[in-house]
Amino acid sequence: MERRNCMTCGADLGEAFGWSRMVNCAHCGTAHILRDAVFAAAGSAGVFHDAPGLVRLMQPVQTLQGRFLPVGVVRFSYGRGAWDEFWALDDLGKGAWISVDEGDIALQRPVAAASLPAAPRERSAVIAFDDRDWTVTEAETATCLAFRGQLPEVFVLGDQFTFLNASSGDGRILSGEFWPGGHAWFCGPWIDPFDLGAK
Amino acid sequence: MRAEVAEVACPNCGVGLKALGGGRVVIQVCTHCGSALDAVDNFRLLKTHAELPRPDTPLKLGDKGRIQGVDWVVIGILGWSEAKRWTWTDHQLYSPSHGYAWLTLEEGHLIFSRAWRGAMSPTWMTERGIETAEKPPEIAARGQSYRYYETTDAKVTFAEGEFSWAVMVGDRSKTLSFMSTDAMLTLDQGPEREVEISTYPPQAETWASFGIKAAAPLRVHPLQPRRVWRDERFLSGLGAVATLVATLAWGVLQSQGNWVEPRVLPKAGGLEVEAELPITTTTGVVELRIRTDVYNAWAGIETEVTDPSGTVLFQNAREVGYYAGIEDGESWSEGSQVTSIYFRPTEAGDYGLSLSVPEGGAGEGAGGPSLSRPSLTVYEGRAASMWMLMALVLSALMAGLPLIRDWLHNRARWRGSDWSDD
């Protein structure tokens, strides 16, 4: 595993570049991108106002689905509020997104299926996935506000995308993200904040 | 988390309204004029409800307290009414880390509720499903079974502060409730299909965390855990030991006494028995054990006992009945073919006994006695064991105290359920 240093201040950026596509310097805040073996500084990682939360960067959390170490976080705005997406590694080093929004916490991994639409749907629309009907409960636009740590994708401050959340009543949340020329789907269980423990 | 909004001015009356809730607040109702403001659309005026009667609650907006180890702030207050008879107050709580919850004040009880997004089986239940069910429907969740409790159709009578859902005075909400041993799942029948889980927080501790001293409520709330008496387990254990001792003593007492051979007189016939009882001692009591062969039938037995001088000592009427059968492959029986009568002899000598069976019938009917002539066994010198029997009953009650109290408490918890087997 290759070690990298910050291109602005020279600080050690850690060792997680095996899977990471983006890392933020904990010392000076400069974001770095690794793309096609080219390592480059990407400028500011945004202002990250500290907010009370049950999930914190580099502090392991125990869920009913196992233990996770959040190694990176992206904050998105949905207008009147914001939520955090933590990129977290389980004990096998496999990554998942932990979404945290004022007590609404979900653990999601990427999913793919032919039935999942490539374009956003409105609230109350029904989507077929995993032999169930999923009703869209939320459909809004998100803006990337800031990021920290190590992330598996490249994020750009101010970038916007449309997202939707859907529920089938089985304790999971299905989320779709849509941007010009692309989309992605994620699915996983809701996590009861009272079941979440620090480990 | 919420974008920075600390205070907004009511567009109707101009009063400053504190923004206490987070980013999921969608409605803010003015504390001064009752105007509902759209928190998603720059606090646009939606509606005004003035002069609404305030619900009776000691909690107010901005009050802070601690429940289940989490610090909460009261951001909204809702008054509810069902059929104008039942009223309660919901307080919307907010925590930056745990989101939104409700603290309900109902007949002096505090109930803590929050959204439940975990798996349930079945995943949903409708009012129609309840109406067509033959037994109370159940939901499996959190490793527990939740049995149908009630359907509530309530109206919002008062609103003040911030709310995470678009609520207005006059709005109606229909919910189905299911209760387990310690929690309740409430299924909102609205289009959002939301599920809440409610629990009963420690009352005094919760009130104290909000800085309020409240009186203990009188009636039992469905979610209220049973209060265990300080010495309940000790008393129950003591009762169990006493029951064991009393049972052994009862057995010893029952084995005391001597068999007496009655001289059955030939003059009686049919189901009648005339006998002389040669009693030799006045110590203890005499037991007249009457055995019949009633089977799926009953019989009324009358007895008269005279002392050695021929004076009637007592008259007695007893009913014996014994029923048995097989139902769903299981055999069952109830009642007894045997009955005992006790009396204390006044002197030694020959006592007279007259026994007759004037009535009876097969099954529950009264078509006449359906049995052979009863047989008689007599013992004298039996210990008077009534006090021991009472001690046995009392000690058994003491041993079963927790179970009895559990049963009574559960009955009180389910008293408000609207389920009917009809």
Side-chain angles (χ1 to χ4, degrees):
Chain A
M1 194 171 289
E2 199 176 351
R3 294 191 81 92
R4 300 277 189 176
N5 293 93
C6 175
M7 298 185 74
T8 302
C9 70
D12 186 2
L13 294 177
E15 285 190 338
F17 265 68
W19 48 264
S20 179
R21 293 290 171 270
M22 189 163 206
V23 68
N24 160 252
C25 175
H27 186 67
C28 71
T30 301
H32 300 75
I33 298 171
L34 183 68
R35 187 182 288 143
D36 299 332
V38 176
F39 182 63
S44 169
V47 179
F48 219 101
H49 294 293
D50 199 23
L54 295 174
V55 182
R56 293 192 162 271
L57 211 51
M58 301 310 290
Q59 292 183 13
V61 288
Q62 186 70 41
T63 71
L64 296 178
Q65 289 72 28
R67 196 175 67 143
F68 288 85
L69 176 67
V71 295
V73 59
V74 192
R75 179 164 292 173
F76 296 102
S77 161
Y78 55 89
R80 63 188 186 281
W83 86 95
D84 290 337
E85 294 280 357
F86 288 88
W87 177 248
L89 306 177
D90 63 18
D91 285 341
L92 298 174
K94 203 174 162 196
W97 289 103
I98 300 178
S99 166
V100 180
D101 181 7
E102 294 180 331
D104 286 347
I105 303 172
L107 177 73
Q108 293 180 303
R109 295 182 195 271
V111 291
S115 62
L116 291 171
R121 295 284 185 271
E122 292 185 345
R123 263 176 81 126
S124 301
V126 176
I127 296 168
F129 171 69
D130 201 18
D131 295 329
R132 306 184 74 91
D133 284 339
W134 299 72
T135 304
V136 176
T137 56
E138 190 173 19
E140 299 203 41
T141 300
T143 306
C144 179
L145 290 181
F147 45 81
R148 291 288 183 273
Q150 301 170 24
L151 296 159
E153 300 170 27
V154 174
F155 293 90
V156 177
L157 292 185
D159 261 9
Q160 289 196 329
F161 62 93
T162 306
F163 72 92
L164 65 81
N165 291 323
S167 166
S168 74
D170 70 345
R172 293 184 296 167
I173 176 175
L174 176 69
S175 301
E177 295 178 3
F178 311 88
W179 60 91
H183 67 277
W185 287 91
F186 305 87
C187 188
W190 285 104
I191 295 175
D192 190 326
F194 288 89
D195 287 338
L196 203 63
K199 276 278 169 147
Chain B
M1 72 208 73
R2 185 175 190 160
E4 293 299 319
V5 179
E7 190 168 298
V8 294
C10 174
N12 187 48
C13 70
V15 77
L17 303 173
K18 280 186 179 166
L20 301 165
R24 294 291 173 182
V25 167
V26 295
I27 287 276
Q28 178 140 12
V29 180
C30 176
T31 51
H32 184 68
C33 69
S35 295
L37 315 178
D38 188 344
V40 185
D41 188 6
N42 203 25
F43 296 93
R44 178 173 58 90
L45 178 63
L46 295 171
K47 212 170 188 179
T48 296
H49 291 280
E51 306 295 323
L52 291 172
R54 281 191 76 80
D56 186 18
T57 170
L59 292 167
K60 58 187 185 303
L61 298 183
D63 280 357
K64 292 174 181 168
R66 193 168 176 81
I67 304 171
Q68 291 189 7
V70 178
D71 292 326
W72 303 90
V73 59
V74 177
I75 63 168
I77 297 174
L78 278 185
W80 288 94
S81 162
E82 186 185 26
K84 293 185 179 174
R85 287 181 288 114
W86 202 252
T87 60
W88 65 93
T89 308
D90 275 346
H91 305 85
Q92 173 122 64
L93 304 178
Y94 173 68
S95 149
S97 60
H98 286 70
Y100 299 88
W102 293 99
L103 187 62
T104 301
L105 178 60
E106 182 181 18
E107 286 198 313
H109 298 275
L110 287 175
I111 309 300
F112 179 64
S113 306
R114 57 195 180 85
W116 166 254
R117 296 198 173 94
M120 298 193 314
S121 177
T123 54
W124 192 247
M125 199 80 83
T126 64
E127 196 179 7
R128 174 78 181 141
I130 302 294
E131 287 168 358
T132 55
E134 291 183 358
K135 57 180 186 176
E138 295 190 358
I139 291 176
R142 301 169 71 229
Q144 287 187 313
S145 182
Y146 293 75
R147 181 150 53 101
Y148 171 74
Y149 187 80
E150 66 176 346
T151 299
T152 306
D153 185 0
K155 195 168 95 171
V156 177
T157 58
F158 176 87
E160 165 182 278
E162 299 163 88
F163 301 97
S164 59
W165 55 296
V167 61
M168 295 274 189
V169 171
D171 281 359
R172 300 197 77 90
S173 166
K174 183 167 276 190
T175 57
L176 306 179
S177 303
F178 297 77
M179 189 163 69
S180 70
T181 51
D182 62 357
M184 192 174 264
L185 289 178
T186 303
L187 280 58
D188 191 327
Q189 298 294 292
E192 302 273 334
R193 283 196 165 194
E194 300 218 323
V195 182
E196 281 180 0
I197 185 164
S198 302
T199 51
Y200 196 85
Q203 301 289 291
E205 192 181 304
T206 305
W207 279 120
S209 76
F210 281 94
I212 294 168
K213 191 172 181 184
L218 295 176
R219 285 168 60 105
V220 172
H221 188 275
L223 284 174
Q224 187 174 356
R226 180 171 73 76
R227 182 185 291 180
V228 178
W229 291 340
R230 198 179 54 182
D231 298 325
E232 189 174 298
R233 290 184 68 174
F234 171 74
L235 285 173
S236 176
L238 194 65
V241 173
T243 303
L244 186 65
V245 171
T247 304
L248 291 171
W250 170 262
V252 170
L253 289 175
Q254 286 299 297
S255 65
Q256 286 182 343
N258 301 313
W259 176 67
V260 174
E261 184 173 9
R263 290 193 289 274
V264 178
L265 304 177
K267 63 182 179 183
L271 295 176
E272 292 185 5
V273 177
E274 294 279 337
E276 283 181 355
L277 315 175
I279 303 301
T280 61
T281 177
T282 56
T283 304
V285 295
V286 174
E287 178 187 359
L288 305 176
R289 188 177 297 173
I290 303 162
R291 184 178 296 278
T292 70
D293 59 358
V294 287
Y295 189 81
N296 286 329
W298 66 280
I301 298 172
E302 290 184 359
T303 52
E304 181 181 284
V305 172
T306 55
D307 66 12
S309 66
T311 307
V312 175
L313 201 60
F314 68 88
Q315 292 177 319
N316 182 279
R318 282 285 172 88
E319 185 180 309
V320 290
Y322 182 75
Y323 301 87
I326 296 176
E327 193 171 304
D328 296 333
E330 303 252 331
S331 60
W332 61 272
S333 69
E334 62 179 37
S336 172
Q337 295 174 313
V338 181
T339 184
S340 285
I341 298 166
Y342 298 87
F343 71 91
R344 187 175 289 281
T346 52
E347 58 184 305
D350 289 343
Y351 283 70
L353 169 70
S354 294
L355 185 152
S356 63
V357 187
E359 56 182 352
E364 303 286 333
S370 173
L371 72 164
S372 309
R373 195 179 191 198
S375 65
L376 183 68
T377 311
V378 182
Y379 298 93
E380 64 174 356
R382 284 282 205 218
S385 52
M386 190 53 74
W387 60 269
M388 185 54 71
L389 185 63
M390 288 175 64
L392 184 62
V393 170
L394 283 176
S395 58
L397 284 174
M398 202 160 93
L401 189 65
L403 289 177
I404 294 167
R405 292 196 67 218
D406 274 347
W407 181 80
L408 289 172
H409 182 74
N410 251 337
R411 203 174 63 154
R413 288 180 65 220
W414 286 91
R415 191 164 37 210
S417 173
D418 63 10
W419 173 259
S420 164
D421 287 326
D422 301 332

